[in-house]
């Protein structure tokens, strides 16, 4: 979501005549797009702002803007920071060029956030829709790929989560606008489109007599010439439209067999406290059902360890779930109390009763359990040929030198989201390639171009 907002803002600024630079030393304007999901992310922004305050001592005309969730959450408190000129929430990004132009000319501080985010006005949604449709076609952060938001916000109110309070209520975008946007992408070299939403499987839009669900969007997107792979994230474990989505995955070769379905915990007591509306047994049945319809489906999960009240037994229930779920990979987070969430309102920081060292120990233990599963799943690829959409140069080329033909190390992903590293010409970025897997590690498949 955040990367998409960064790309939208970048496109809007380019169109308004700004040019982008990666260096703060050269920049007249520095924008920081922020996330509020965990405290650590916000702390990093604050330390970055400390650094910018220092730079501004010698360059007082530099304009610094904070955009995104942290801007919405902290509002005027953030504007008080010496380094900050603009605070702009996620719903105000369509105004970003105006806000910057004003700040450059008038040297004043500006706050643009939504006062009551849970009551987002219709007009605001229309402005966001126009902005998204206009600038959502230039998203080339990863060659050959684009991300298209199909729904904004969330209505689920998981007890730990800040998203509903900084992104507002769930609003589904009209299918025509989404499909029109995707149709323009192949002309820009895009081969894979990922549909985005916090509970993307619950996408629903009534248009005339017809109600569109995510399966319809997947079907329509995969019918567009030039779009070869269609993915979607993140799904919420619910029955809503689940069968339809799996069916389109099974039927359409373009809809990738990949499902990101966070469970968060394996303990039913903790799931209830999290306000997640399923049990671990039901969740595992859902996975079994998915595998029955799409046998080679790759499933990824998210977990929070050290949630308030999580006992060792609760944690072991999570370990057990991870062993049974056989995820391709799982993202594991230590619980981070967030002001404003349901849990915070029920008792603030006092609720955070699992000691940091226990969270750390559980994090490491769960990672090790998942690593063993990932290692087994990855080994099954040995000697097999896979199709990859190449992303570009590997971020860790030092782990594997260039080959005899001087080809650097590239990285890409399969349709089922497995990461593949191999030597090849950089011109492959954004293209499909095939490689035979020669070696594996728990995180990566190492291949040779075929
Ligand atoms: N909508 C998705 C879902 O329901 O799973 C995920 C949204 S959230 C931005 C991404 C992940 O961050 C969640 O799956 C959860 O594991 C983690 N997360 C959210 N709030 C958290 C918190 N307060 N502390 C630690 N992890 C958190
Ligand atoms: Fe947060 Fe839950 Fe909504 Fe996901 S479903 S964004 S975890 S409130």
């Amino acid at each position: 979501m955040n990367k998409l907002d960064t790309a939208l803002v970048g496109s809007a600024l380019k169109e308004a005549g700004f040019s982008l630079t990666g260096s703060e030393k050269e920049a007249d304007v520095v924008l920081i797009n922020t996330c509020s999901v965990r405290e650590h992310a916000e702390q990093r922004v604050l330390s970055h702002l400390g650094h910018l305050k220092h730079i501004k001592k010698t360059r007082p005309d530099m304009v610094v803007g904070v955009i995104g969730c942290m801007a919405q959450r902290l509002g005027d408190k953030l504007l008080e920071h010496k380094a900050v000129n603009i605070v702009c929430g996620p719903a105000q990004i369509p105004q970003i060029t105006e806000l910057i132009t004003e700040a450059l000319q008038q040297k004043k501080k500006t706050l643009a956030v939504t006062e009551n985010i849970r009551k987002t006005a219709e007009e605001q949604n229309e402005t966001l829709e126009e902005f998204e449709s206009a600038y959502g076609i230039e998203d080339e952060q990863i060659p050959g790929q684009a991300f298209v938001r199909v729904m904004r916000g969330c209505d689920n109110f998981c007890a730990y989560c800040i998203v509903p309070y900084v992104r507002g209520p769930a609003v589904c975008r009209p299918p025509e606008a989404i499909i029109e946007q995707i149709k323009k992408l192949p002309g820009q070299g895009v081969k894979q489109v990922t549909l985005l939403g916090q509970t993307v499987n619950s996408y629903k839009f009534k248009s005339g007599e017809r109600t569109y669900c995510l399966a319809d969007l997947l079907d329509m997107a995969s019918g567009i010439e030039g779009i070869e792979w269609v993915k979607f994230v993140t799904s919420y474990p619910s029955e809503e439209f689940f069968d339809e989505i799996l069916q389109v995955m099974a039927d359409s070769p373009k809809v990738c067999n990949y499902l990101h379905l966070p469970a968060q915990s394996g303990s039913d007591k903790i799931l209830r406290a999290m306000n997640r509306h399923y049990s671990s047994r039901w969740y595992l049945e859902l996975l079994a059902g998915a595998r029955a319809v799409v046998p080679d489906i790759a499933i990824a999960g998210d977990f929070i360890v050290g949630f308030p009240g999580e006992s060792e037994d609760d944690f072991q229930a999570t370990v057990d779930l991870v062993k049974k779920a056989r995820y391709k990979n799982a993202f594991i987070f230590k619980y981070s109390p967030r002001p404003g969430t349901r849990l915070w309102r029920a008792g603030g920081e006092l609720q955070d009763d699992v000691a940091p060292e226990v969270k750390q120990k559980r994090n490491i233990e769960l990672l090790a359990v998942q690593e063993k599963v990932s290692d087994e799943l990855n080994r099954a690829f040995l000697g097999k040929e896979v199709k990859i959409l190449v992303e570009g140069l590997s971020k860790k080329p030092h782990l594997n030198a260039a080959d005899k033909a001087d080809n650097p190390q590239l990285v890409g992903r399969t349709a089922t989201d497995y990461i593949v590293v191999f030597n090849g010409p950089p011109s492959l970025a954004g293209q499909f390639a095939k490689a035979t897997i020669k070696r594996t590690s728990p995180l990566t498949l190492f291949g040779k171009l075929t």
Side-chain angles (χ1 to χ4, degrees):
M1 285 292 172
N2 273 22
K3 282 190 188 152
L4 174 58
D5 283 342
T6 303
L8 290 171
V9 167
S11 303
L13 290 179
K14 270 197 261 169
E15 198 185 278
F18 289 91
S19 54
L20 301 185
T21 164
S23 151
E24 271 167 14
K25 288 198 188 110
E26 285 172 15
D28 299 315
V29 181
V30 175
L31 287 184
I32 309 176
N33 192 8
T34 58
C35 165
S36 288
V37 169
R38 281 167 291 277
E39 195 189 355
H40 180 62
E42 290 197 349
Q43 271 165 356
R44 277 176 41 206
V45 173
L46 290 174
S47 83
H48 191 175
L49 287 175
H51 167 70
L52 289 170
K53 187 175 107 186
H54 191 67
I55 297 183
K56 280 183 86 166
K57 281 190 188 145
T58 48
R59 296 184 50 210
D61 288 343
M62 180 197 237
V63 165
V64 173
V66 181
I67 61 177
C69 299
M70 188 176 169
Q72 176 61 42
R73 195 179 82 75
L74 294 176
D76 44 10
K77 278 198 217 107
L78 199 55
L79 201 63
E80 281 168 16
H81 194 289
K82 282 221 167 85
V84 178
N85 302 87
I86 301 167
V87 171
C88 169
Q92 281 69 29
I93 58 168
Q95 298 163 29
I96 194 68
T97 29
E98 264 169 64
L99 295 172
I100 293 175
T101 314
E102 260 175 42
L104 283 167
Q105 286 165 356
Q106 299 170 13
K107 316 264 173 275
K108 61 169 191 175
K109 287 188 174 242
T110 317
L111 176 69
V113 293
T114 307
E115 205 160 302
N116 187 347
I117 190 99
R118 293 301 305 168
K119 290 212 174 83
T120 315
E122 191 52 37
E123 200 185 311
Q124 190 166 305
N125 279 326
E126 281 167 19
T127 316
L128 277 170
E129 185 50 51
E130 276 169 31
F131 186 73
E132 193 117 26
S133 295
Y135 298 111
I137 48 171
E138 244 195 81
D139 176 23
E140 268 283 338
Q141 290 199 326
I142 309 176
Q145 298 190 30
F147 296 85
V148 173
R149 187 168 6 227
V150 302
M151 59 193 291
R152 287 185 265 275
C154 184
D155 289 340
N156 267 25
F157 297 100
C158 299
Y160 50 80
C161 185
I162 194 73
V163 170
Y165 306 97
V166 287
R167 290 271 172 182
V171 177
C172 293
R173 298 184 57 211
E176 311 86 57
I178 296 166
I179 297 302
E180 276 314 303
Q181 203 178 322
I182 301 176
K183 275 187 187 158
K184 295 184 186 139
L185 295 172
Q188 321 254 349
V190 170
K191 297 183 170 60
Q192 171 183 295
V193 63
T194 304
L195 309 185
L196 298 180
Q198 293 295 356
T199 57
V200 72
N201 52 318
S202 65
Y203 173 89
K204 184 154 68 170
F205 194 96
K206 202 165 171 349
S207 177
E209 289 295 288
R210 192 169 162 192
T211 301
Y212 291 83
C213 69
L214 184 74
D216 297 313
L217 291 183
L218 294 171
D219 188 42
M220 291 191 283
S222 54
I224 295 170
E225 209 184 311
I227 296 293
E228 301 298 332
W229 284 357
V230 186
K231 295 182 179 173
F232 57 97
V233 287
T234 301
S235 297
Y236 182 90
S238 84
E239 243 159 27
E240 211 176 13
F241 304 123
F242 210 70
D243 293 346
E244 290 89 334
I245 294 167
L246 290 172
Q247 204 51 55
V248 76
M249 216 183 241
D251 293 344
S252 166
K254 288 190 183 178
V255 178
C256 296
N257 296 350
Y258 170 64
L259 187 66
H260 184 191
L261 192 72
Q264 311 296 2
S265 172
S267 150
D268 291 345
K269 178 189 107 193
I270 296 297
L271 285 171
R272 266 194 306 278
M274 285 178 163
N275 196 30
R276 305 277 291 186
H277 308 287
Y278 50 86
S279 66
S280 61
R281 188 172 154 187
W282 185 87
Y283 177 88
L284 285 170
E285 281 168 9
L286 198 69
L287 295 196
R291 289 185 165 121
V293 183
V294 184
D296 73 336
I297 194 167
I299 299 171
D302 286 6
F303 287 90
I304 295 177
V305 293
F307 186 81
E310 185 187 68
S311 66
E312 189 55 31
D313 282 354
D314 293 319
F315 173 66
Q316 287 308 323
T318 301
V319 168
D320 195 43
L321 179 90
V322 169
K323 284 183 183 159
K324 289 181 179 147
R326 299 197 63 76
Y327 295 111
K328 174 186 88 72
N329 68 300
F331 302 96
I332 299 163
F333 306 103
K334 287 177 273 189
Y335 172 68
S336 163
R338 306 307 296 129
T341 55
R342 280 198 166 187
L343 208 63
W344 183 275
R345 286 166 200 217
E349 267 170 307
L350 293 175
Q351 294 272 355
D352 188 16
D353 61 0
V354 178
E357 47 293 0
V358 175
K359 285 183 188 169
Q360 178 68 2
K361 186 185 125 303
R362 291 179 184 168
N363 193 353
I364 293 171
E365 185 178 337
L366 200 58
L367 275 173
V369 173
Q370 177 54 43
E371 199 173 293
K372 191 163 173 287
V373 179
S374 297
D375 195 32
E376 284 166 21
L377 294 175
N378 282 1
R379 274 172 204 273
F381 281 91
L382 275 174
K384 291 198 176 137
E385 189 186 65
V386 291
K387 185 175 170 183
I388 313 151
L389 182 56
V390 184
E391 292 180 2
L393 292 177
S394 159
K395 291 202 184 93
K396 294 181 185 155
H398 59 282
L399 294 180
N400 194 357
D403 64 6
K404 284 187 204 122
D406 221 16
N407 281 319
Q409 198 183 64
L410 305 178
V411 65
R413 280 175 200 253
T414 66
T416 46
D417 208 54
Y418 281 85
I419 299 170
V420 186
V421 161
F422 57 98
N423 287 95
S427 58
L428 279 179
Q431 308 295 324
F432 285 111
K434 283 190 174 158
T436 304
I437 304 306
K438 300 286 182 192
R439 185 161 68 83
T440 66
S441 77
L443 294 180
T444 317
L445 306 176
F446 297 88
K448 191 170 182 328
L449 271 184
T450 46

